Amino acid sequence: MKKIILTLMCGFFALLTVALTSPTQAEAALKDLDSTIVSEYIETLEDGSYFHVIVSELASPSESRSVQTQRGSREITYHDANGVALWKYTLYGTFQFIPGSSAACVSSSYSVDIYDSSWESSYVSATKSGNQAIGDATFIKKVLLITTQTENIHITLSCSAYGTLS
């Protein structure tokens, strides 16, 4: 009987751990969709570190002729001067547009991946306004509990009236 209770408790804690560390269902669903890179660039900082930015179009279900849906993401990965990825922030947006007329962001979400344990996110958000998904985040590097570096990011993902992401 004790073995059964112990097994059930271990299973419960394993499920709880997965649930607490997994992205939201919306983020997971968007990550799993087929994607096409729309644009990609690198922004180098004075110290040699850089941001690698990728805008992707995510597969969208077919819609009516009048109102269409476009889904996309803008991810920004921060690398040190040696090219090592330290963290990544991904902004997701879902847009509805009437071809040639108007576009609106109907939802936004985000995901964060930390690759270096000395970094953490101290603030992260995703909002929407008009035809834009808007992402803001602050990442801090700590050494011996002292903040030694801070990176603030503000990114947008826009959709045109023709469904073009930028």
Side-chain angles (χ1 to χ4, degrees):
M1 185 65 167
K2 287 181 182 180
K3 287 183 180 180
I4 293 173
I5 292 174
L6 183 59
T7 303
L8 289 174
M9 287 179 61
C10 288
F12 172 75
F13 286 116
L15 286 173
L16 182 61
T17 301
V18 169
L20 291 176
T21 59
S22 297
T24 65
Q25 288 180 336
E27 292 165 359
L30 286 172
K31 277 185 171 181
D32 292 339
L33 293 174
D34 291 330
S35 65
T36 303
I37 293 177
V38 174
S39 66
E40 181 175 13
Y41 63 92
I42 291 177
E43 180 183 328
T44 305
L45 304 176
E46 290 179 14
D47 65 357
S49 62
Y50 61 94
F51 293 109
H52 182 195
V53 181
I54 300 174
V55 176
S56 299
E57 181 179 303
L58 305 174
S60 297
S62 59
E63 300 288 331
S64 69
R65 298 188 104 190
S66 59
V67 178
Q68 297 183 18
T69 300
Q70 178 65 283
R71 293 181 177 88
S73 67
R74 179 180 294 263
E75 71 180 42
I76 182 166
T77 306
Y78 180 65
H79 296 259
D80 66 16
N82 296 318
V84 176
L86 304 173
W87 50 260
K88 178 171 70 174
Y89 172 87
T90 306
L91 173 66
Y92 300 97
T94 301
F95 305 88
Q96 288 188 334
F97 65 99
I98 299 171
S101 179
S102 64
C105 182
V106 294
S107 71
S108 65
S109 63
Y110 66 85
S111 67
V112 170
D113 297 301
I114 304 290
Y115 305 120
D116 183 309
S117 61
S118 63
W119 283 89
E120 63 184 64
S121 57
S122 63
Y123 173 78
V124 186
S125 74
T127 58
K128 59 187 176 70
S129 178
N131 68 332
Q132 292 186 327
I134 303 164
D136 290 289
T138 300
F139 292 88
I140 57 174
K141 179 180 182 179
K142 289 191 174 184
V143 176
L144 299 174
L145 303 175
I146 297 171
T147 300
T148 60
Q149 187 176 351
T150 301
E151 294 294 337
N152 295 303
I153 60 168
H154 173 81
I155 59 175
T156 59
L157 178 65
S158 302
C159 182
S160 74
Y162 293 96
T164 304
L165 297 174
S166 59

